[in-house]
Amino acid sequence: MKIRMNQFWETIKTYFKTGNFRGIFKKIVFFFAGFVVLVLLCSGFLAIYFDTNKTEIVAQINAEINDNIKGTIHIGDIKYKFLKGFPNMTLALNQVELKDSLWAIHKRTLLKAEQIEIRIGLWSLLINEVNIDKIEIQKATLYLFKGKNGIVNTDVFRPKPKGNKSESATTSSINEISLSQVHFISENQLGNKLFDFDVISLKSKIKHEQDNWNTNLHVKTLAKSMAFNTKRGTFIRDKILEGILVVDFSNEKNQISVRTENLEIGNDLFDIKAHFSLDKNKSPFDIAIKTTILWQDASALMSENISSRISRFDLKKPIEVGCTIIGDMNAIGDPEIVVKTKISDNELQIPDGIITNCTFDASFTNNYIKGNGCNDVNSTVTLANFSGAYKTIPFTIPMGMISNFEKTIAAGSFKSDFNVALLNEMINKDFMRFSNGQAKVSLDFKFDIVNLEIQKPLFTGDVTVTNATVNYGPRNLTFLKTDIELDFTEEALLIKKINFKDRRNIVFMEGKIDNFLTLFYENPEKMLVNWDIYAPYLDVKQFLGVITKSRQKSPKKKNKIDDFSDRLYSVIDKCQVVLNLKADKMVYSKLQANNAKATVLLANNKLIVKNGWVQSSGGTISFDGQLVPKADDFLLESNAKINRVDIARFLTSLNNFGIQSFKPKNIKGFLSASASLTGKLLSGGQLKTNSLAGVAKFDVIKGALIDFEPIQKVGKFAFPFRDVDNIMFRDLSGNFKINGDLINVSNLKVSSSVLNLDVNGVYSFNRGTNLALTIPLRNPKRDEKITNKIERAERRNNGIVLHLLAVDEAGKIKIKWDKNHEKADLQ
């Protein structure tokens, strides 16, 4: 094979050296040289012909133009382009201006060009006709205008006379158009439309079929404005369009059809089909667009009224989009716009976070209700079969709709079924922590959207949570085996059931929050939560520890994951809560109570108790009061009434109020008392020692003082024949004024089986006791048979009366003679 190829090339080389080849080559060279000379001679002849007949040619061109226009045209100069367009003649029209007859009114020049080249058929020119075969416009501005009053600047072409057309007229046609650096503007003030393009290049070869024609339009242009409604903004602003448009004109329909594939707009490719009517009064058009594009790239192509809304959203993967635009170039208002897309397994970014595994069908129209116009009010986005996961929480929206872009409303249905532990991905763990349990959500929703913020939300449906464990970080409070049933109605949030265990407490709760969602988003401080709470067992100290625990700051925001945590914390912190509390058994330290009832108001971390009532120590206690935060502690204000409680049990349960001089075992009887006190409660619910202040009065019924050592010591010497080990009281009452460690005793009257005793002065829980004791030595047993109270009171101080002082010396109570008792009596 190689040998044959070598032989072939050797034969060729030998032939090139022969005289026969040299003769043929000379003939070819002479032919081309002759052809070039002929072209030059012909072009020269045309140049001479143009120069010789310039006046007539210009006159013919002017006549052709003037026969077809009404207005004025100015041509600075006409030159012949040597060799260009041969064998036809190419003329260059410089500094061309075309104005209609109403230019003085609207001031818009229809055409202004530095140069327009026209190629004229030579043979038609020789028979005194101008047949323009090609037009090339360079560095020009083409301005189409229609004013608010209907005036236009395009009314420059005269109507053709009726009847048969001349043969030359029917055969005269433009076969090729070329534009370079042409600024095209179409301004329709009446319809609020503005199309503004900088045409970098445009080339078109036109094929004519009788009255119809078609062309492949090669175009590259910068879109400065494509506004179907200037009030709404422009599409594809500052984007380069480049591609081939297949254009067809139908004379019968008086319509131009355009189709293109892979038209490049910016960095994206589009398939487009469009139809434009050329009717004078009505100019309907329709445009169908298909593309695969990134969300933000699509947003950048939209008008401002659309992009301002959708640019705050994003989809990670490209989406397939179909869009139709139907309108009328002469009509006022927006065209009808319909956009449809199918999203599959994408990632949707919204202002509040990211939705993963996102799949849905979506459509947009600005003409939702036919006959209501194409506008923002009639604009709607419809979502169907939406599924995804918001911060790991799976959910579906079978149908959703966003309507009215001026006063935007969103409506639809929302469903979800998930393990509550997934909430940890969207709520700060220092604020709230979830484990175990299952949540189910089925809600219909409707709410306003203002600046992409939810307002006036309305949810109807239900939410259930079963067997969850929740830790509330700011209070370090853990709820075990929590069940929740929520029912959203149009008027309120009904909390049908919340059951939970917390250490020692078991709580069953039902509640109601009127206008819940609106207040949640707009005025949480006005939210009022009404709770009915039942507890078989309630540890009040632990409950107060939750309420009075030093408040922690809202978890610091690290990123958008904490936005919901901050809002939820703020709502919990600001809302007001009314608790209607019932407990079968209630304890506070050692104080035990049964059948407890109270109304508790929580507002701004303040706790107010009203209508409190319990059974305790064999009697009843009613109370009200409040806790007010101050620094790290809480100020306590309380009014209480005690009715016939067993005094020993009652004092034992309250640690004997810190009194060391006697023990609860030393006293018996039933206590009735009333008190109005203030004090300080420490964080954790413990009463601060000796912080109480206020007034109190008491009365002991069937009282007895048993084995009280101070009395026993005195009684051995003063009352050797009386039973000082078991002193029975007929009357034990008094008034106290409490101020921390000190109690001002006023009119403490003791009428007992051993002696009578009146006490006034100061008693201290610590140091500083100074009590004046008035002790008649008369044996009270002598007066037991006197039933008249007045007579018995008169005999009370008969006989010898001791005036003693009980004073604090070195931390011990010493009994002394009261030498100044007379002065005190006088005072």
Side-chain angles (χ1 to χ4, degrees), residues 126-188:
L126 293 176
I127 58 175
N128 294 322
E129 290 185 3
V130 176
N131 186 358
I132 300 176
D133 182 59
K134 177 182 177 181
I135 293 180
E136 183 175 343
I137 304 175
Q138 301 174 6
K139 296 181 180 180
T141 298
L142 178 61
Y143 202 129
L144 310 182
F145 174 76
K146 185 173 186 178
K148 292 182 179 180
N149 53 2
I151 192 172
V152 298
N153 75 336
T154 56
D155 190 18
V156 297
F157 297 101
R158 297 181 185 275
K160 294 181 180 180
K162 296 181 180 180
N164 296 330
K165 301 175 184 177
S166 66
E167 184 180 350
S168 61
T170 58
T171 58
S172 177
S173 61
I174 300 174
N175 298 319
E176 189 174 349
I177 296 175
S178 177
L179 305 180
S180 176
Q181 299 182 48
V182 175
H183 188 190
F184 171 79
I185 303 171
S186 176
E187 180 184 7
N188 186 334

Side-chain angles (χ1 to χ4, degrees), residues 735-748:
N735 298 310
F736 299 146
K737 186 175 182 180
I738 304 169
N739 186 14
D741 291 337
L742 302 178
I743 299 178
N744 292 315
V745 181
S746 176
N747 299 322
L748 174 57

Side-chain angles (χ1 to χ4, degrees), residues 314-489:
D314 195 13
L315 283 163
K316 185 176 182 180
K317 301 177 183 177
I319 57 175
E320 294 183 2
V321 181
C323 174
T324 60
I325 304 173
I326 301 174
D328 191 316
M329 286 296 184
N330 291 328
I332 299 174
D334 295 347
E336 180 185 57
I337 301 174
V338 177
V339 182
K340 294 183 179 181
T341 183
K342 289 182 178 289
I343 310 298
S344 179
D345 192 24
N346 215 317
E347 183 177 282
L348 172 62
Q349 182 174 328
I350 61 177
D352 290 333
I354 294 175
I355 299 175
T356 57
N357 303 324
C358 189
T359 298
F360 61 93
D361 297 339
S363 64
F364 163 82
T365 179
N366 64 348
N367 190 23
Y368 181 67
I369 300 177
K370 302 299 182 182
N372 284 5
C374 302
N375 49 58
D376 281 355
V377 174
N378 202 22
S379 294
T380 298
V381 173
T382 302
L383 305 176
N385 303 317
F386 193 113
S387 65
Y390 178 71
K391 297 181 180 178
T392 73
I393 304 298
F395 70 93
T396 60
I397 300 177
M399 180 61 68
M401 183 176 292
I402 302 172
S403 57
N404 191 343
F405 279 14
E406 287 189 2
K407 296 180 180 179
T408 307
I409 298 174
S413 58
F414 178 94
K415 298 182 183 297
S416 185
D417 189 344
F418 60 94
N419 189 302
V420 296
L422 294 176
L423 290 171
N424 297 326
E425 298 296 327
M426 60 183 297
I427 299 179
N428 191 293
K429 65 179 181 180
D430 296 328
F431 172 56
M432 211 173 268
R433 195 71 179 169
F434 299 85
S435 58
N436 305 321
Q438 192 73 11
K440 291 185 178 181
V441 181
S442 180
L443 296 172
D444 293 329
F445 61 85
K446 184 178 181 181
F447 49 80
D448 294 347
I449 301 177
V450 179
N451 295 325
L452 294 182
E453 294 287 337
I454 294 176
Q455 292 188 4
K456 299 180 181 179
L458 174 63
F459 286 81
T460 55
D462 54 78
V463 177
T464 60
V465 178
T466 56
N467 200 31
T469 299
V470 184
N471 177 265
Y472 182 52
R475 304 291 187 192
N476 192 25
L477 182 64
T478 300
F479 304 106
L480 306 173
K481 296 184 178 180
T482 302
D483 295 334
I484 301 173
E485 289 184 11
L486 306 179
D487 186 6
F488 291 85
T489 70

Side-chain angles (χ1 to χ4, degrees), residues 559-778:
N559 48 50
K560 282 194 173 182
I561 194 174
D562 296 328
D563 288 350
F564 180 75
S565 302
D566 290 344
R567 171 169 282 178
L568 186 58
Y569 180 89
S570 176
V571 170
I572 293 174
D573 194 47
K574 292 178 180 179
C575 73
Q576 301 180 53
V577 181
V578 176
L579 307 176
N580 298 307
L581 177 66
K582 291 183 180 181
D584 293 340
K585 185 175 182 180
M586 186 172 70
V587 298
Y588 178 82
S589 294
K590 297 179 181 179
L591 177 64
Q592 296 187 4
N594 299 317
N595 300 323
K597 296 185 295 182
T599 299
V600 181
L601 172 63
L602 303 176
N604 296 323
N605 223 37
K606 179 190 293 186
L607 182 148
I608 300 172
V609 179
K610 295 182 178 180
N611 303 321
W613 188 90
V614 298
Q615 291 178 334
S616 178
S617 304
T620 62
I621 302 173
S622 59
F623 55 91
D624 55 43
Q626 67 177 13
L627 292 175
V628 181
K630 185 176 181 180
D632 292 333
D633 300 325
F634 280 74
L635 298 181
L636 168 67
E637 296 180 12
S638 178
N639 296 306
K641 289 184 178 181
I642 302 171
N643 183 36
R644 292 184 65 86
V645 299
D646 185 295
I647 192 170
R649 290 164 55 189
F650 184 68
L651 293 176
T652 299
S653 63
L654 295 178
N655 294 319
N656 205 34
F657 291 105
I659 300 174
Q660 302 298 322
S661 57
F662 72 89
K663 304 298 181 183
K665 66 180 181 178
N666 298 129
I667 190 167
K668 290 184 178 181
F670 297 97
L671 172 66
S672 294
S674 63
S676 180
L677 302 171
T678 62
K680 186 174 289 186
L681 211 63
L682 301 176
S683 176
Q686 183 66 43
L687 180 66
K688 185 176 182 180
T689 305
N690 305 330
S691 66
L692 291 177
V695 296
K697 62 180 180 179
F698 75 96
D699 183 19
V700 177
I701 303 170
K702 295 181 180 181
L705 193 61
I706 301 171
D707 297 330
F708 186 47
E709 186 176 353
I711 297 295
Q712 287 176 327
K713 289 181 180 180
V714 175
K716 288 180 182 179
F717 301 100
F719 315 108
F721 303 107
R722 302 181 191 180
D723 186 4
V724 295
D725 294 330
N726 186 11
I727 302 174
M728 305 299 292
F729 296 103
R730 183 175 62 250
D731 186 10
L732 178 57
S733 61
N735 298 310
F736 299 146
K737 186 175 182 180
I738 304 169
N739 186 14
D741 291 337
L742 302 178
I743 299 178
N744 292 315
V745 181
S746 176
N747 299 322
L748 174 57
K749 186 179 290 296
V750 180
S751 299
S752 72
S753 61
V754 174
L755 79 166
N756 294 326
L757 177 68
D758 295 325
V759 182
N760 290 279
V762 177
Y763 177 81
S764 174
F765 291 144
N766 291 315
R767 302 291 300 275
T769 297
N770 189 352
L771 294 173
L773 308 177
T774 301
I775 307 174
L777 296 182
R778 175 186 176 84

Side-chain angles (χ1 to χ4, degrees), residues 1-10:
M1 183 68 180
K2 186 175 182 181
I3 295 173
R4 290 180 180 178
M5 287 296 297
N6 291 335
Q7 292 175 349
F8 173 76
W9 286 114
E10 287 297 328

